Amino acid sequence: MTPRPISRRGALVLGGLGAASLVAGTTGLLAQNASTPGGLPAAGTTGEDLLEPPVLDSREGRLAIVLTAAPGARLAGRDNAALGYNGTSPGPTLRVRPGDDLAVRLTNRLDQPTNLHTHDLQVSPQGNSDNPFLRIDPGTSFDYLYRIPPDHPAGTFWYHPHHHGTVADQLFGGLAGALLVDRGPELPVAADRVLLITDTTLDADGRIVVAGPMDRMMGRQGRLVLVNGQHQPTIAASTGTVQRWRIINGCTSRVLPLRLPGQQLTQIMLDAAFLPGPAGPGRIVLAPGNRADILIRPDRAGRFELLTDAYDRGSTGTGGMMGGRDATSEPATLATLSVDGPPRQPPPLPASLPARTPNTDPVTARREITFAMGMGGSGMGFT
């Protein structure tokens, strides 16, 4: 039997297995291998009322804060060795405005290097701004300064570590937070909520497990899918009102196809861009790092589950050599919308939204980047 050719992704998997086996267990606060059964949320905590992270708001053109990355945050109702900013996972929500300065002193209380990335914020990548090559070693601090342009678009952003070699461990451990840029149309909403979705796997003692080599190659997916660090929280609403949900996919690898059966998901933004007008109904698919702002407009009482469907992310494609392995995001219940009140119609949707006009200027320069693979002393790798 002639084996199938190895795909590019399969080659990367094979070449990376040896290297990945050397780094499994990069930090002492993690425990076990991800192939072991995941732990459960603390008893009685599933379905609790949604908790939103504290909001730190800019004043007079500046937001100056201290973020401390350290173990000891609470996840799924357990006080454990999960990672957090300022003792919580997610960390505080940062709210700024176009033209503001965002000054962050990041203190590293982890046992490995870290740094800070403001995902999709349109600021400088140099110096002490959004520089992914900065390294903040354990026990040290660094002062970031992000100068937000006066014409910066409004939207939902987020922050997380971005130090090469530790990103996935730290994100999977709980280091993430929302970052909001205010400016836009006044929407008739009764509540403006952040829903930061992450996934992780806990052992029987509530500790985060270590991903095995194949999980690292395929992209780790936790057995617990959490909203604001909670397991299947309850979101209260009243009939005839509108809520804005700022949904952030903060998972390491999980794709989130979102549905709310019995209610309509009306999308108004994707990442940092308003749509031309409200869109829906239908399923909203968010890859890791994506954000969607949606309006929820219940007109009748009831309980409605926010679901993420299964999603096929592909396979290793290694054929007969390893048999291949599917990478599927499993279905899960994320939260429950609990609506009270007599039947009432909510306010109408806006007819249009301030979508940005695409830049149609002619291309003035081009560049070419070549990626290549080769065999070295340690196996396959990029050259």
Side-chain angles (χ1 to χ4, degrees):
M1 177 179 176
T2 303
R4 290 182 293 169
I6 299 176
S7 68
R8 178 180 178 277
R9 182 167 188 172
L12 289 173
V13 169
L14 292 173
L17 280 174
S21 64
L22 297 177
V23 297
T26 55
T27 174
L29 62 90
L30 305 181
Q32 294 186 302
N33 184 283
S35 62
T36 59
L40 297 175
T45 61
T46 294
E48 290 184 330
D49 291 343
L50 178 75
L51 300 176
E52 294 187 71
V55 178
L56 304 180
D57 210 336
S58 68
R59 293 288 185 272
E60 298 181 352
R62 184 175 176 85
L63 176 59
I65 62 169
V66 174
L67 287 180
T68 299
R74 183 178 179 87
L75 279 183
R78 293 172 176 260
D79 292 315
N80 52 34
L83 308 182
Y85 290 112
N86 296 356
T88 66
S89 178
T93 295
L94 313 183
R95 186 185 292 272
V96 295
R97 293 161 183 80
D100 282 355
D101 285 348
L102 172 60
V104 180
R105 169 163 289 186
L106 178 66
T107 298
N108 183 2
R109 300 292 183 223
L110 309 173
D111 62 0
Q112 56 184 202
T114 192
N115 61 18
L116 192 67
H117 172 52
T118 57
H119 193 110
D120 216 12
L121 207 63
Q122 297 174 20
V123 294
S124 171
Q126 299 178 333
N128 66 335
S129 188
D130 202 340
N131 186 342
F133 298 107
L134 292 173
R135 174 188 173 108
I136 294 90
D137 286 318
T140 67
S141 298
F142 186 83
D143 290 328
Y144 284 91
L145 179 60
Y146 308 92
R147 298 190 182 278
I148 302 170
D151 60 350
H152 197 288
T156 301
F157 305 83
W158 63 302
Y159 62 91
H160 57 84
H162 212 304
H163 181 265
H164 182 69
T166 64
V167 178
D169 283 336
Q170 294 176 10
L171 184 58
F172 196 73
L175 285 180
L179 198 169
L180 312 181
V181 178
D182 268 351
R183 187 186 68 183
E186 291 293 329
L187 299 173
V189 299
D192 189 332
R193 303 187 186 278
V194 168
L195 276 64
L196 202 162
I197 301 170
T198 56
D199 62 353
T200 195
T201 304
L202 305 178
D203 69 7
D205 296 321
R207 297 173 297 178
I208 310 294
V209 303
V210 169
M214 184 59 75
D215 293 299
R216 290 175 179 273
M217 293 300 100
M218 296 296 298
R220 71 194 72 187
Q221 293 189 153
R223 291 179 172 83
L224 282 174
V225 186
L226 307 175
V227 178
N228 293 353
Q230 298 174 270
H231 187 244
Q232 299 178 9
T234 298
I235 305 172
S238 299
T239 56
T241 62
V242 181
Q243 293 193 7
R244 179 179 184 171
W245 291 359
R246 302 173 183 261
I247 301 179
I248 302 169
N249 184 353
C251 300
T252 306
S253 304
R254 183 183 296 271
V255 177
L256 300 173
L258 302 175
R259 292 187 298 120
L260 186 63
Q263 293 291 331
Q264 180 173 320
L265 295 177
T266 301
Q267 186 174 0
I268 59 171
M269 295 190 76
L270 178 63
D271 294 337
F274 275 102
L275 304 181
R283 191 174 69 162
I284 298 173
V285 179
L286 299 181
N290 277 159
R291 293 91 61 209
D293 285 34
I294 62 176
L295 299 181
I296 304 298
R297 307 168 64 247
D299 59 1
R300 66 187 187 280
R303 292 176 65 82
F304 310 91
E305 291 187 335
L306 177 63
L307 306 174
T308 177
D309 292 331
Y311 190 90
D312 182 6
R313 297 189 292 115
S315 68
T316 59
T318 52
M321 186 178 298
M322 294 182 64
R325 176 175 171 182
D326 291 333
T328 300
S329 298
E330 299 296 332
T333 299
L334 300 176
T336 298
L337 174 67
S338 179
V339 184
D340 290 326
R344 286 193 303 169
Q345 284 297 118
L349 292 168
S352 62
L353 295 166
R356 284 179 285 171
T357 302
N359 188 339
T360 57
D361 293 343
V363 175
T364 59
R366 296 181 183 274
R367 65 175 177 170
E368 181 176 309
I369 300 175
T370 301
F371 293 93
M373 291 185 64
M375 297 295 294
S378 60
M380 291 185 181
F382 285 111
T383 60

